[in-house]
Amino acid sequence: MNTQSDALRDMPVPSQAVSSAVLSPIQTLGWSIRREFWENRSLYIAPLAVAGVVLLGFLLTVFRLPEKIRTAASQGPMQLHELIQHTFDIASALLMITFLLVAVFYCIDALHSERRDRSILFWKSLPLSDLTVVLSKASIPFLLLPLFAFAVTVVTQVVMLFLSSAVLRASGLSVAMLWHELSFFRMSLLLLYHLFTVHVLWEAPFYAWFLMISAWARRAAFMWAVLPPFAVCVFEKMLFNTSHFARFLEDRLSGAGLDAIMAPGTMPMDPMTHITPAKILGAPGLWIGLAVAAAFLYAAVRLRRYQGPI
């Protein structure tokens, strides 16, 4: 009997059992987030592809930059600043739009696809809670994707900046003037600030809504995500001849109600923009939106618990 006990004690324990026993909930969530990013290649392929297109277009036009700078400098300092800033603003805007589109389509498909391909049966057989799965998927639009989009944007703009510097030096113009007008470090800081205040915190209810619909809809998840708000707008217009809900959606989508970026008529990455986080934290609309987002995420957790394969 003692021999059998010793033999059982000396048997090697499977590594999966050991890893599942020692992993904390935070570590499990971390690995789930990594899995989401690895398995959804569009999350990083789309921003990289757009960055490549931006750099290609910039490379084809950068050789005309010295002539444009001479013309703008003769017109005044404001025109010179707008010329230099404009190209970098376009690159930031294109990559920001890419981030938003990728985030929206990811959220709509995140919980729906695992039911469609029946992989939900496999994941539910593992020691992963529904809360962990939903939080790992929500972390993509709330954290991972904006950080990756920001990193790609900064690298893209660094390449653009060095290409511009090389062309200006070759033409005999001052490179220091370019760096001074651009304020690259502050521009990057403002981009990160804008991404997380407007396109993450302020628009959080939309991502959570899409995740909830993804966990609920049996088919046509995109239609179910878009049609109910559209129907509310139409019925309000027909019954009351008002557009309050449509303006509310426009306000949340555009970030117009977030009075934190004080640069009217300019891109949010403009150096004239002021960082005012106190106004964000003091905005009631922000906290109401976050509470609504939390309610949608809670509903997504409950729906995933009881929904099966399609």
Side-chain angles (χ1 to χ4, degrees), residues 187-201:
M187 180 180 67
S188 301
L189 178 63
L190 289 171
L191 173 62
L192 184 64
Y193 171 77
H194 178 78
L195 276 173
F196 276 94
T197 53
V198 177
H199 297 304
V200 175
L201 294 177

Side-chain angles (χ1 to χ4, degrees), residues 2-310:
N2 291 334
T3 304
Q4 292 180 351
S5 300
D6 294 339
L8 290 174
R9 191 184 307 113
D10 295 336
M11 287 179 61
V13 180
S15 59
Q16 292 182 351
V18 173
S19 61
S20 63
V22 298
L23 285 181
S24 66
I26 298 299
Q27 290 175 314
T28 303
L29 178 61
W31 279 108
S32 299
I33 294 173
R34 294 183 189 180
R35 177 183 64 84
E36 285 295 319
F37 199 68
W38 291 336
E39 290 187 353
N40 295 274
R41 299 185 354 183
S42 61
L43 296 177
Y44 51 88
I45 289 179
L48 290 175
V50 173
V53 173
V54 169
L55 287 177
L56 178 61
F58 181 76
L59 187 60
L60 295 175
T61 60
V62 69
F63 298 103
R64 297 201 298 268
L65 181 62
E67 179 184 352
K68 292 180 179 179
I69 285 184
R70 290 189 182 97
T71 303
S74 64
Q75 296 174 351
M78 287 300 297
Q79 286 75 11
L80 178 62
H81 172 77
E82 290 177 1
L83 171 68
I84 295 175
Q85 188 76 34
H86 180 67
T87 305
F88 290 84
D89 283 345
I90 291 177
S92 299
L94 289 175
L95 286 163
M96 205 181 316
I97 293 172
T98 303
F99 150 65
L100 293 174
L101 291 176
V102 171
V104 167
F105 283 102
Y106 168 81
C107 290
I108 293 175
D109 192 60
L111 294 166
H112 185 262
S113 61
E114 66 174 8
R115 294 160 54 221
R116 186 177 58 245
D117 60 20
R118 306 181 71 85
S119 63
I120 189 173
L121 297 175
F122 170 73
W123 295 115
K124 283 195 172 185
S125 67
L126 298 178
L128 289 173
S129 66
D130 297 293
L131 178 62
T132 299
V133 173
V134 172
L135 287 181
S136 68
K137 294 180 182 297
S139 67
I140 298 299
F142 289 148
L143 180 63
L144 216 60
L145 191 54
L147 284 177
F148 184 76
F150 169 73
V152 172
T153 303
V154 170
V155 171
T156 302
Q157 291 180 336
V158 166
V159 175
M160 293 169 59
L161 182 58
F162 279 101
L163 285 174
S164 301
S165 301
V167 171
L168 290 180
R169 179 174 291 277
S171 63
L173 292 177
S174 171
V175 177
M177 174 267 301
L178 173 67
W179 287 71
H180 174 73
E181 291 292 337
L182 200 58
S183 301
F184 186 79
F185 176 77
R186 179 172 173 79
M187 180 180 67
S188 301
L189 178 63
L190 289 171
L191 173 62
L192 184 64
Y193 171 77
H194 178 78
L195 276 173
F196 276 94
T197 53
V198 177
H199 297 304
V200 175
L201 294 177
W202 190 250
E203 297 176 355
F206 292 103
Y207 304 131
W209 163 261
F210 294 143
L211 285 169
M212 185 187 71
I213 294 298
S214 181
W216 171 78
R218 294 189 61 84
R219 57 181 60 87
F222 181 81
M223 299 298 292
W224 282 111
V226 174
L227 284 181
F230 178 75
V232 172
C233 296
V234 171
F235 284 136
E236 181 193 356
K237 188 66 175 177
M238 292 174 60
L239 295 177
F240 306 105
N241 196 28
T242 59
S243 303
H244 298 302
F245 190 70
R247 283 197 295 269
F248 167 75
L249 292 180
E250 182 182 358
D251 169 65
R252 299 301 301 201
L253 282 170
S254 63
L258 191 60
D259 190 19
I261 298 177
M262 308 298 292
T266 65
M267 289 292 290
M269 291 74 67
D270 193 280
M272 298 176 65
T273 302
H274 301 293
I275 298 178
T276 54
K279 290 191 175 184
I280 297 178
L281 298 178
L286 173 70
W287 297 104
I288 293 173
L290 292 177
V292 171
F296 286 154
L297 290 177
Y298 174 77
V301 173
R302 301 291 296 181
L303 286 167
R304 188 183 186 274
R305 181 171 302 172
Y306 300 110
Q307 293 279 40
I310 301 174

